[in-house]
Amino acid sequence: MAEAANGLPRVRLEVAERQLELGVERATEGNHGIVMAPLLQETGLISLDPGFLNTAACTSEITYIDGDVGILRYRGYPIEQLARDSSFLEVALLLIRGELPTAGELEAFETRIDKHMYLSDDFRQIFSVMPRRAHPMATLGAAINMMAGFYPESLDPLDPSAVSLATVLMVAKMPTIISYIYRRAQGNALLYPKHGQSYVENFARMTFQLPGEQFDAPEVFYHALETLLILHADHEQNCSTSSVRLIGSAQANLYMSVSGGVSALSGPLHGGANEAVLNMLTYIRDNEIDPKEFMTQVKDKRTSVRLMGFGHRVYKSYDPRAAIVKVEAAAVLEALGVKDELLDIAYEVEQVALSDDYFVERRLYPNVDFYTGIIYRAMGFPASMFTPLFALGRLPGWIAQWRERIVDPAGKIGRPRQVYTGPGLRDYVPMEQRR
Ligand code: CMC
């Protein structure tokens, strides 16, 4: 491949008789990007790429993935090291600010979060008007939107102090909101956060403590929760994050942008997959289906059955998060003394899939959602709460990406083009002449 003086590939496009030289944006790692903006002006053509298979919507300094070899790094740090050595709030700061905090900076952030976990009585009332059977993701999206109404001093996306406040309020109040969604569904009174408890301790206690009882969980419970939150904290330009960035590109406030991300995450092809995996494994167990027989259904293109928790747009060898979660799932179940036959079914389904040509040829491997539900279930969460837990983890990533987008000097409002394939010009037909 011919290279320009800067070491980047030279890109020449021939359109009819014209030769167009396109610039290339340098990546520090991974794919460089052809700058497509001049194409329309110079040739009258636009690029067509449904599903963004090949299109970068931005440059970003936050997260790096190499899907061919299973690499995931936040701000350069490998996910394996962060999952082992860091805490969720430390990772949140790393993603949002770009550097690991000092001990003092982390403590100051934790204190600020601790102070703001509380939700006012007015805010608490919004949970009582949602039907008990509402899906938690519907309530979560609504509650995050409502934050824009409750904290007007933190809305201006162009005011750094307002953005800083909105960041803290969102990270602080999200566990309280999610615990309230769960308690509302259970018909239990809402509890208050306690100063001095850690982020995950407060969340677990507000979620699970029963009236008149103490909530106590072993260290392995909190460790697993913290690990899962870290593993979900960012994943570059996935569907929900791209939604958050796109909404933010219109200078919508942080709450409304993140609420759009929650909506995207709820879909079963994205964050909703963790709930769908558990439903799938339960279906296999309850109907006594042989995993090999189930795979026949998955491979039959006449059905719409997919092997949930398998496949990824970017990972084509393995998902490094799934590798960590699989080990964690076995350890958590053992430590909590939980025997779950769904874990055995999951192992069996994975084995069958990994030795099946259909999956091998398409490079489909377990993704992060394949084993997470088994851990959440062992902790006591119902399947409908799995995707809100994903959202709790993903929040720092959404915030970091939104903030990067808001201050990006190259960031225009997001506005994709289309290739129109509808009817040409035609005249309105009066009703009586239509057939
Ligand atoms: N089960 C069966 N077939 C599959 C699966 C699957 N889980 N995933 C992909 N395929 C097939 C698909 O039918 C297609 O086959 P063909 O070439 O014969 O038409 C081929 O593999 C390529 O699939 P695709 O849908 O074009 O791939 P994509 O990159 O557009 O979709 C995906 C990625 C994650 C949406 C898809 O793999 C999928 O639906 N997986 C199941 C849902 C899931 O687990 N989602 C969680 C993703 S990870 C967490 C997150 O970030 O949200």
Side-chain angles (χ1 to χ4, degrees):
M1 194 185 302
E3 286 188 352
N6 58 11
L8 292 168
R10 217 182 194 123
V11 180
R12 285 209 193 92
L13 192 67
E14 212 170 285
V15 182
E17 310 295 286
R18 282 209 57 191
Q19 276 235 346
L20 177 66
E21 181 138 1
L22 293 169
V24 176
E25 181 77 30
R26 181 189 292 280
T28 46
E29 295 200 67
N31 311 110
H32 306 303
I34 302 174
V35 180
M36 298 301 288
L39 187 66
L40 174 61
Q41 203 185 353
E42 299 292 327
T43 68
L45 295 172
I46 53 178
S47 55
L48 173 64
D49 184 17
F52 301 102
L53 296 182
N54 193 46
T55 296
C58 59
T59 59
S60 179
E61 298 179 359
I62 302 172
T63 290
Y64 173 65
I65 298 175
D66 184 336
D68 286 329
V69 288
I71 286 176
L72 169 60
R73 296 183 201 137
Y74 300 159
R75 302 282 189 185
Y77 297 102
I79 191 66
E80 292 80 7
Q81 292 180 17
L82 293 170
R84 192 188 59 219
D85 299 331
S86 189
S87 71
F88 178 60
L89 289 183
E90 186 184 26
V91 166
L93 265 188
L94 170 69
L95 286 167
I96 292 166
R97 294 187 344 170
E99 295 298 336
L100 285 169
T102 63
E105 287 166 343
L106 179 59
E107 202 187 322
F109 184 61
E110 286 169 344
T111 305
R112 243 184 126 192
I113 296 296
D114 186 57
K115 187 174 142 209
H116 285 289
M117 287 184 92
Y118 172 84
L119 285 176
S120 70
D121 282 348
D122 279 355
F123 201 123
R124 287 157 61 99
Q125 280 182 27
I126 69 171
F127 300 97
S128 64
V129 299
M130 288 301 280
R132 287 220 167 106
R133 61 175 200 283
H135 193 283
M137 287 299 276
T139 314
L140 181 60
I144 291 173
N145 244 318
M146 294 290 282
M147 288 186 80
F150 277 83
Y151 309 107
E153 66 283 13
S154 62
L155 297 186
D156 184 353
L158 304 180
D159 172 358
S161 67
V163 169
S164 164
L165 179 60
T167 298
V168 169
L169 295 183
M170 288 209 87
V171 175
K173 295 182 194 302
M174 188 87 153
T176 315
I177 289 173
I178 294 176
S179 74
Y180 286 2
I181 293 171
Y182 175 75
R183 291 190 85 83
R184 164 75 185 150
Q186 300 291 308
N188 286 331
L190 311 185
L191 302 181
Y192 289 104
K194 255 189 204 163
H195 293 308
Q197 280 204 310
S198 79
Y199 193 77
V200 289
E201 282 168 353
N202 246 324
F203 172 59
R205 183 190 50 77
M206 285 193 288
T207 305
F208 291 123
Q209 187 175 309
L210 293 172
E213 292 184 15
Q214 293 295 318
F215 175 76
D216 215 6
E219 188 45 41
V220 67
F221 177 103
Y222 297 115
H223 178 267
L225 192 51
E226 193 102 30
T227 306
L228 288 171
L229 294 179
I230 292 171
L231 293 181
H232 286 90
D234 195 44
H235 214 232
E236 49 118 307
Q237 307 310 317
N238 58 83
C239 180
S240 57
T241 302
S242 299
S243 307
V244 170
R245 288 185 81 118
L246 188 60
I247 299 169
S249 80
Q251 294 183 357
N253 65 61
L254 180 59
Y255 307 107
M256 290 185 159
S257 303
V258 167
S259 161
V262 168
S263 303
L265 191 75
S266 71
L269 298 188
H270 191 11
N274 53 15
E275 181 180 348
V277 169
L278 204 89
N279 294 338
M280 177 188 77
L281 296 173
T282 308
Y283 168 80
I284 292 174
R285 181 196 61 192
D286 293 351
N287 295 284
E288 296 179 5
I289 301 173
D290 185 302
K292 287 201 178 90
E293 161 55 24
F294 184 70
M295 233 45 90
T296 315
Q297 294 179 28
V298 168
K299 292 187 292 183
D300 184 349
K301 293 287 179 189
R302 289 167 303 176
T303 75
S304 56
V305 182
R306 283 202 161 197
L307 182 56
M308 300 313 286
F310 257 70
H312 199 275
R313 170 64 60 78
V314 182
Y315 294 121
K316 298 299 172 196
S317 63
Y318 71 96
D319 179 339
R321 304 167 301 172
I324 298 171
V325 175
K326 185 177 176 182
V327 174
E328 194 81 21
V332 169
L333 264 62
E334 198 190 327
L336 295 180
V338 175
K339 174 86 189 94
D340 190 343
E341 53 190 328
L342 295 189
L343 181 61
D344 300 328
I345 296 174
Y347 286 147
E348 213 179 322
V349 168
E350 182 186 354
Q351 276 319 310
V352 173
L354 292 179
S355 52
D356 187 309
D357 284 349
Y358 175 95
F359 292 90
V360 174
E361 281 160 15
R362 290 172 178 76
R363 303 176 72 190
L364 303 171
Y365 292 85
N367 59 51
V368 68
D369 290 320
F370 194 66
Y371 285 104
T372 45
I374 301 216
I375 305 185
Y376 291 142
R377 189 170 127 101
M379 289 172 162
F381 290 101
S384 61
M385 290 300 292
F386 295 174
T387 317
L389 288 162
F390 190 149
L392 180 61
R394 183 54 52 89
L395 182 64
W398 286 333
I399 294 174
Q401 300 268 356
W402 181 91
R403 289 173 60 139
E404 185 179 66
R405 180 67 179 74
I406 288 291
V407 298
D408 184 350
K412 289 175 175 294
I413 186 168
R415 204 302 183 189
R417 298 269 171 176
Q418 64 167 15
V419 175
Y420 176 71
T421 56
L425 178 65
R426 48 186 177 163
D427 288 325
Y428 179 79
V429 181
M431 188 67 80
E432 58 282 8
Q433 291 174 22
R434 290 180 215 164
R435 289 187 219 143

